[in-house]
Amino acid sequence: MGFPDQIVRTVELAHPPQKVWAALTTAEGLGSWFGNTATIDLRPGGAARMTWNEGGHVANMRVERVEEATVFGYTWPIYGLPDDDPRRTYVEFTLEPVGAGTRLTVVETGFAQLSDDAYKEAFEGNVGGWKSELGELVEYLDAA
């Protein structure tokens, strides 16, 4: 493919891994910074769902990887594709203790499976989305 298959973002958080983990893996956490409401069955194969009030967007996710306070991964629909499209990207959060805080790395992969037009919308949408959402995560953690 002639374009990147993944988005990688790293952010330094002034909070311990357990606090960051709770923000990433609980319905309360996800529904506070990522979406407006969330549900999650935190086990590989478990279902998760997030909704956003703005635009009525819904993301049905499947939990793929759970390593307590270290790695959390899920698959979810690709932005811009029809709701019934079976293709998904994989999102993985890796938490690394750094001093009293946490280095959080988010990697989303799976964009190479898309056509040029679908790729442009999904990749660019998610690049901007992760920038915005990770900013909201920082605000949520700092306020808690």
Side-chain angles (χ1 to χ4, degrees):
M1 263 306 134
F3 46 76
D5 183 50
Q6 65 181 3
I7 298 167
V8 180
R9 293 288 175 266
T10 300
V11 62
E12 302 284 333
L13 302 165
H15 304 279
Q18 284 293 355
K19 185 173 180 181
V20 177
W21 180 259
L24 299 174
T25 62
T26 66
E28 179 184 342
L30 288 170
S32 295
W33 69 271
F34 204 170
N36 294 112
T37 63
T39 61
I40 186 167
D41 178 3
L42 189 61
R43 62 179 176 81
R49 178 182 174 100
M50 287 191 304
T51 61
W52 289 263
N53 294 341
E54 190 173 310
H57 184 67
V58 175
N60 290 306
M61 301 140 38
R62 176 186 156 95
V63 175
E64 301 291 345
R65 189 170 175 195
V66 179
E67 295 177 24
E68 179 80 25
T70 305
V71 180
F72 171 55
Y74 59 83
T75 53
W76 70 340
I78 299 173
Y79 177 76
L81 295 184
D83 290 342
D84 61 350
D85 193 297
R87 292 174 288 180
R88 302 283 183 264
T89 55
Y90 175 69
V91 176
E92 188 168 273
F93 296 90
T94 304
L95 293 75
E96 177 186 351
V98 178
T102 304
R103 177 176 297 124
L104 175 66
T105 302
V106 182
V107 179
E108 182 173 11
T109 58
F111 295 97
Q113 64 185 310
L114 302 173
S115 67
D116 289 349
D117 290 343
Y119 170 83
K120 182 176 167 115
E121 182 175 4
F123 190 82
E124 290 178 7
N126 285 24
V127 164
W130 283 118
K131 181 178 180 182
S132 173
E133 295 298 351
L134 291 175
E136 290 180 28
L137 173 62
V138 170
E139 290 174 13
Y140 168 74
L141 289 168
D142 288 350

